[in-house]
Amino acid sequence: MKRPLTRLLVTRIVFGLGMLWAVSILVFFFTQALPGDVARQILGQNATAEQVARLRLELGLDKTVVEQYATWLWSLLQGDLGMSLASGTSVWDLIRGRVVNSLVLVVITSLITFPLAFYLGTSAARRRGGVTDAIVSGLVLVLLALPGFLIGVLTVVLFATNVFRLLPPTSVIDPARAALLQPSLLVLPVLALVLGCLPYLTQMVRGTMVEALDSEYVTWARLYGVSERRVVWWHALRNVAAPSLQVATSTLVYLVGGIVAVETVFSYPGMGSALVSSVSNRDIPVVQAITMLIAATTLFLYVVADVAGILLTPKVRTSL
Amino acid sequence: MNDHHGTRISGGALGESVWARPMSRRQFMTTAGIVAGTLAAGSILSACGEDEGPSPAPAASTGTMVRGGTLRVGLVGLSTTDSRDPAAATTAGGYALARQLFNSLMVYGPDGSLVPSLAEEVSAVSGDEWVVRLRDAEWHDGKPVTAEDVIFTFQRILDPDDPLPNASAVAFIDAGNMKKEDDKTVRFHLTYPTVTFADAMASPLQSIVPVGFDPANPVGSGAFMLDQFSPGERYTFKRFESFWAPGEPRVDELVLIGFPDSSAEVNALIGGQVDVAPGMDAALVRVVEAAGEGFVIDEYESTATLCWQMHCGQKPFDNVSVRQALRLAVDRPGIVERVYDGHASIGNDLFNKFDSGYAVDISQRERDPEQSLALLKQAGYDRVAVELTGAPVAATANKQNEALVSQAKEGGFDITFRKVDVATYYGESYGTYPLSLSFWGNLSILDQAALTVVEGSPYNATKWSDTEFDALYEQALAEPDDAKRHDLMRQMQQIQWERGSYVVAQFQNTLTGYSSKVAGYQPAPMGEPASDYGFRQMGFTS
């Protein structure tokens, strides 16, 4: 079993890297195709044509796109994300703090969402048709219908400005201190994110749990006199794990790539808002770096989930 | 090529980073009835006593001000491109930094008139010879501000090998011919007579920097010293104890916090995260009012305008009748009410109604769809179909464009509104749109002309050209006598009213929300937004 597993890992990783390379081509050429002149952007509108031409030369904008791509990819492979055109500092210096900030949101949100979704989904499944199920399913439906940014706005209206003034309405993290040390600023964005990704996962857990509880092995376990708690949390949950993992991964991917809206609503200095501002700045290296980072994280998560999913499914695992 | 930036001729353009929303913040304020004009050569502008820097603030708001505290100001659109080099500032954040850390020789006071700042006196010997005398002031490192610093500042900007982006704004200065008279006095010789010399010196871009200036460690003469610099997010400042204006700054610390849009900024104000929210969108006034007591909204009229540009180099606006028809098809009061919720004033297709040379006697254009249709017929059109290109260069831009589409129908215009993003709007195609909406403001009438319509102007997006107008402009720029110059300017404006290429339907008001614990906020009718970023005058009441 050892060898097929290694082979599986290697193929998935090679596939992941291949995808990443394909993404790099898309990212590079699409960002290059954005309209607007970067050099003029940097110098402002009073700059003379000579100043613009000189800067274009310095930035290597006079070379062909393919040459520029080769240079960019080579630096990227060496871990060099390049220089920000807008600020003149290294891209990594510029986004490092923001990557950490976004990570803080993602981790806290995951730590809350996953257990909560499993708990809610399982509870609803156990008392199918009951009050808990009705409440959970109802909430899930409502939340599913609301777009992420609207949930953000609603939490602000409810908890920060119009109804109650309990929490700060914007999350302008003081860059001089770590985000984790400013917990009151994290509450609302985390709440908005949790409310945004909870319903998918809860629904998934409920669905698969319902299926599992209806299955023959659960019936047999019950007939053998196994306690209901053990039936649910041991026998059934193990079979829910694999399919849920896929949804959990999608949730994580949504979190990593899709927190743009929430970060914007709360003015949270994360990767998403950096992406938005660098697009409007036409700060191409920053756009490229962030999209590559998001793509790499996404592919990594999918590869891990893929492999873990196989390992968690006995039928597939033993057929390797 | 870009006309969006509402700056004087001495002002630089804003970077695109701040165009999208911050533009709406760069509202150039003017108080009704105040006139601020170009300076006549021969006139003398001198400091009137010790306390001219901060002008007397409204008594009610300063009565109980105490010294100390940390003032937190929200600014929309702080950007990673914000520069600590005042001469390289292209963004609202860069301008705001410049105003805290440095001083320009002149500023526009709260009544809209030009007053000395780091200068004690700026006077014209003749149109092309000006003398600047400095006040007693210190740099943040304790050295005195001297004539050498002034000479260094402009030589640095005008360096022939590597001119700074704002060099074109002071192109009239002969960099090799600035003479130090004594430690505090510099004599400028201009390459051509320029009555607007002193006006140009009021821009934050023309802030005086010390000899050997290093932007990474910005030593200035301003009321605040830079403490922490997190580009695009937050700038913190500490008070400069030896600042030249007595009693200023009023607070010990200043924090500028960036927000992506006005509504987040206003939320932060209501939630107590900032004390001042400058440049609010008109639509948010009600939000602040609904938040109850504890907040003040300050409003004053400005010279900022989102105005339509009609391209004279192509059909249909190559025909003056079609241009006049569109001007008649616009419902100006309707725009003020529906787009700006009443927080704007009506325009008359002329710029800067607060310029002392503004032609108040030209009659106000009113909506007249029938006349518009008649003019179109005269130009050989039944109806005109035209594409309008617009971007959210200010918060109200799309709304204003949509208003035009519906208003102009009755006057015979079938307008298709093409929405693009801001960077695209100001990209390669800028200056080719038959009809577009751009942002202008805070420019004197002569500067506005120099930038947009005079022969060789850098941002002539409408390709308008008029030799009669150009001749009048040349005369006005060199005319030291106020009355004579105003007469020339009156003729220029008459031409623009009759055959110009802009539809100036309204001027937006400048709106600032702040906590009622804060005092000292003053209008800066001709200055930069947010009271010319004059946070040194603001403080807390006990």
Side-chain angles (χ1 to χ4, degrees):
Chain A
M1 175 179 154
K2 210 172 183 183
R3 271 180 117 183
L5 183 61
T6 319
R7 206 171 57 215
L8 174 81
L9 272 177
V10 170
T11 31
R12 298 292 155 156
I13 290 170
V14 168
F15 177 73
L17 289 176
M19 283 295 286
L20 198 56
W21 178 65
V23 168
S24 81
I25 294 178
L26 290 179
V27 165
F28 188 85
F29 287 94
F30 277 121
T31 49
Q32 292 290 327
L34 281 172
D37 184 352
V38 175
R40 186 157 281 285
Q41 201 84 349
I42 296 169
L43 291 172
Q45 304 305 325
N46 280 358
T48 61
E50 295 82 60
Q51 287 171 316
V52 173
R54 196 183 323 169
L55 187 65
R56 287 182 61 85
L57 210 64
E58 274 172 36
L59 297 173
L61 296 174
D62 55 320
K63 296 195 191 120
T64 67
V65 186
V66 177
E67 274 178 294
Q68 290 183 47
Y69 172 71
T71 320
W72 174 72
L73 190 66
W74 181 238
S75 329
L76 200 65
L77 288 174
Q78 294 165 307
D80 175 9
L81 294 179
M83 300 293 279
S84 152
L85 298 179
S87 63
T89 53
S90 97
V91 171
W92 179 237
D93 281 346
L94 201 70
I95 64 172
R96 188 176 46 202
R98 287 171 170 267
V99 170
V100 173
N101 284 352
S102 289
L103 213 58
V104 167
L105 281 192
V106 170
V107 169
I108 298 179
T109 306
S110 311
L111 288 179
I112 296 172
T113 306
F114 293 156
L116 195 60
F118 270 88
Y119 177 76
L120 291 176
T122 309
S123 307
R126 284 176 68 183
R127 300 174 190 83
R128 219 173 323 156
V131 181
T132 317
D133 190 21
I135 294 174
V136 169
S137 303
L139 280 179
V140 161
L141 270 182
V142 169
L143 288 174
L144 275 177
L146 294 175
F149 82 92
L150 190 60
I151 294 177
V153 171
L154 289 177
T155 58
V156 171
V157 167
L158 190 60
F159 296 112
T161 54
N162 295 46
V163 184
F164 304 107
R165 290 199 196 149
L166 299 171
L167 288 160
T170 64
S171 301
V172 277
I173 300 288
D174 182 351
R177 293 185 298 141
L180 273 176
L181 298 178
Q182 304 167 62
S184 68
L185 296 182
L186 298 176
V187 177
L188 284 184
V190 166
L191 180 64
L193 284 172
V194 167
L195 292 178
C197 47
L198 193 62
Y200 296 96
L201 200 54
T202 308
Q203 207 179 34
M204 179 70 200
V205 171
R206 183 188 171 279
T208 41
M209 186 57 97
V210 163
E211 229 171 81
L213 290 175
D214 282 350
S215 66
E216 286 183 8
Y217 66 86
V218 165
T219 313
W220 276 108
R222 282 179 176 148
L223 287 175
Y224 270 106
V226 177
S227 76
E228 185 64 17
R229 174 178 293 204
R230 192 169 159 81
V231 165
V232 172
W233 295 108
W234 179 247
H235 294 285
L237 193 64
R238 278 171 62 179
N239 286 287
V240 173
S244 299
L245 191 73
Q246 301 298 328
V247 181
T249 312
S250 307
T251 308
L252 269 177
V253 168
Y254 162 80
L255 270 177
V256 172
I259 51 179
V260 179
V262 166
E263 288 186 354
T264 305
V265 168
F266 292 99
S267 314
Y268 186 85
M271 220 161 53
S273 50
L275 181 61
V276 171
S277 70
S278 56
V279 168
S280 54
N281 275 347
R282 296 294 187 265
D283 197 344
I284 309 290
V286 179
V287 178
Q288 291 167 340
I290 295 177
T291 36
M292 283 307 291
L293 213 59
I294 291 175
T297 316
T298 307
L299 286 168
F300 173 77
L301 287 171
Y302 275 129
V303 168
V304 169
D306 211 15
V307 173
I310 288 167
L311 295 179
L312 278 173
T313 316
K315 227 187 250 172
V316 185
R317 184 174 62 212
T318 47
S319 70
L320 276 174
Chain B
M1 55 180 265
N2 293 350
D3 59 356
H4 66 289
H5 62 290
T7 53
R8 293 177 283 291
I9 195 166
S10 47
L14 280 173
E16 247 164 57
S17 51
V18 293
W19 292 354
R21 287 179 267 223
M23 271 339 289
S24 62
R25 268 80 280 123
R26 299 185 42 72
Q27 298 194 337
F28 305 96
M29 332 148 185
T30 317
T31 303
I34 283 166
V35 283
T38 49
L39 258 148
S43 63
I44 292 183
L45 301 156
S46 74
C48 45
E50 266 304 289
D51 63 342
E52 89 304 322
S55 28
S61 64
T62 47
T64 51
M65 219 192 298
V66 292
R67 198 180 129 157
T70 300
L71 185 71
R72 299 160 304 163
V73 180
L75 285 180
V76 174
L78 289 191
S79 159
T80 48
T81 54
D82 292 345
S83 172
R84 284 168 288 180
D85 180 348
T90 56
T91 56
Y95 280 46
L97 278 161
R99 278 296 191 229
Q100 313 316 315
L101 301 173
F102 307 95
N103 294 118
S104 47
L105 292 173
M106 308 293 290
V107 291
Y108 287 105
D111 65 350
S113 64
L114 205 52
V115 292
S117 178
L118 194 59
E120 195 169 64
E121 183 181 313
V122 171
S123 56
V125 179
S126 65
D128 55 7
E129 187 179 342
W130 289 70
V131 174
V132 169
R133 199 172 76 239
L134 293 168
R135 69 165 66 247
D136 282 327
E138 272 180 28
W139 296 112
H140 294 159
D141 61 10
K143 292 182 189 144
V145 178
T146 66
E148 276 98 355
D149 297 317
V150 175
I151 293 172
F152 171 81
T153 297
F154 292 103
Q155 280 177 343
R156 178 173 162 272
I157 291 170
L158 293 163
D159 181 354
D161 293 331
D162 187 18
L164 285 164
N166 67 325
S168 58
V170 286
F172 48 79
I173 293 178
D174 184 351
N177 208 354
M178 290 179 278
K179 291 278 183 296
K180 173 186 170 182
E181 303 270 292
D182 59 49
D183 270 358
K184 294 282 171 197
T185 313
V186 184
R187 187 173 296 268
F188 287 80
H189 294 275
L190 308 188
T191 49
Y192 50 88
T194 309
V195 291
T196 52
F197 175 88
D199 291 70
M201 293 301 135
S203 164
L205 293 175
Q206 264 64 259
S207 293
I208 304 302
V209 297
V211 173
F213 175 66
D214 172 18
N217 174 29
V219 170
S221 60
F224 291 101
M225 300 186 290
L226 194 57
D227 186 23
Q228 275 166 20
F229 181 68
S230 309
E233 293 180 37
R234 183 181 296 241
Y235 310 130
T236 64
F237 305 84
K238 293 229 183 302
R239 66 179 292 129
F240 175 38
E241 295 294 347
S242 310
F243 184 61
W244 49 264
E248 294 185 9
R250 310 226 190 265
V251 294
D252 292 333
E253 283 183 355
L254 172 70
V255 185
L256 304 182
I257 303 171
F259 290 94
D261 57 52
S262 189
S263 85
E265 184 198 41
V266 164
N267 278 345
L269 174 72
I270 294 171
Q273 292 178 290
V274 297
D275 307 302
V276 188
M280 283 167 38
D281 293 343
L284 294 168
V285 168
R286 288 176 191 183
V287 175
V288 176
E289 281 170 353
E293 287 174 24
F295 303 102
V296 180
I297 292 170
D298 183 276
E299 173 167 14
Y300 45 96
E301 291 190 11
S302 86
T303 62
T305 177
L306 277 171
C307 52
W308 285 287
Q309 310 179 132
M310 302 177 282
H311 198 295
C312 305
Q314 48 177 276
K315 282 186 183 315
F317 294 115
D318 56 339
N319 189 317
V320 61
S321 299
V322 180
R323 298 204 293 273
Q324 294 299 84
L326 185 62
R327 287 168 155 187
L328 287 165
V330 177
D331 174 11
R332 295 155 206 259
I335 285 176
V336 168
E337 277 318 306
R338 280 187 286 283
V339 180
Y340 292 95
D341 227 358
H343 301 289
S345 59
I346 292 171
N348 195 23
D349 303 325
L350 303 170
F351 288 97
N352 197 342
K353 62 175 178 174
F354 298 108
D355 191 309
S356 56
Y358 183 78
V360 281
D361 56 332
I362 296 180
S363 63
Q364 173 64 49
R365 206 184 310 269
E366 313 250 348
R367 188 177 194 221
D368 189 346
E370 276 166 33
Q371 179 65 15
S372 171
L373 284 165
L375 282 170
L376 291 186
K377 187 146 279 175
Q378 198 180 310
Y381 292 95
D382 260 348
R383 296 183 67 81
V384 163
V386 65
E387 186 178 75
L388 162 65
T389 308
V393 293
T396 49
N398 284 343
K399 209 171 161 189
Q400 194 179 322
N401 278 326
E402 280 153 12
L404 179 71
V405 172
S406 71
Q407 287 181 358
K409 265 207 175 64
E410 209 184 325
F413 287 87
D414 297 312
I415 299 173
T416 343
F417 176 24
R418 185 170 72 98
K419 281 183 202 173
V420 295
D421 80 37
V422 177
T424 307
Y425 179 78
Y426 286 119
E428 291 86 9
S429 305
Y430 188 82
T432 66
Y433 314 128
L435 182 62
S436 55
L437 185 75
S438 275
F439 187 97
W440 281 104
N442 203 31
L443 286 157
S444 72
I445 287 170
L446 290 180
D447 288 343
Q448 180 81 40
L451 284 180
T452 56
V453 287
V454 166
E455 175 73 32
S457 58
Y459 312 125
N460 191 347
T462 68
K463 306 290 178 280
W464 191 72
S465 162
D466 192 302
T467 44
E468 190 187 344
F469 182 89
D470 290 357
L472 289 165
Y473 167 79
E474 291 295 333
Q475 291 173 49
L477 193 66
E479 178 54 67
D481 182 81
D482 278 349
K484 285 184 191 159
R485 191 175 62 257
H486 289 167
D487 181 55
L488 293 164
M489 288 165 69
R490 163 93 180 54
Q491 296 175 53
M492 288 165 66
Q493 290 170 80
Q494 186 68 40
I495 291 173
Q496 287 186 306
W497 196 83
E498 286 168 5
R499 51 181 193 257
S501 52
Y502 288 84
V503 182
V504 181
Q506 86 297 327
F507 296 101
Q508 294 94 265
N509 292 356
T510 295
L511 292 156
T512 298
Y514 54 89
S515 153
S516 53
K517 288 180 292 186
V518 171
Y521 193 84
Q522 297 171 16
M526 291 290 290
E528 297 298 325
S531 188
D532 201 27
Y533 302 118
F535 308 125
R536 63 183 163 101
Q537 295 156 13
M538 301 189 73
F540 292 95
T541 53
S542 55

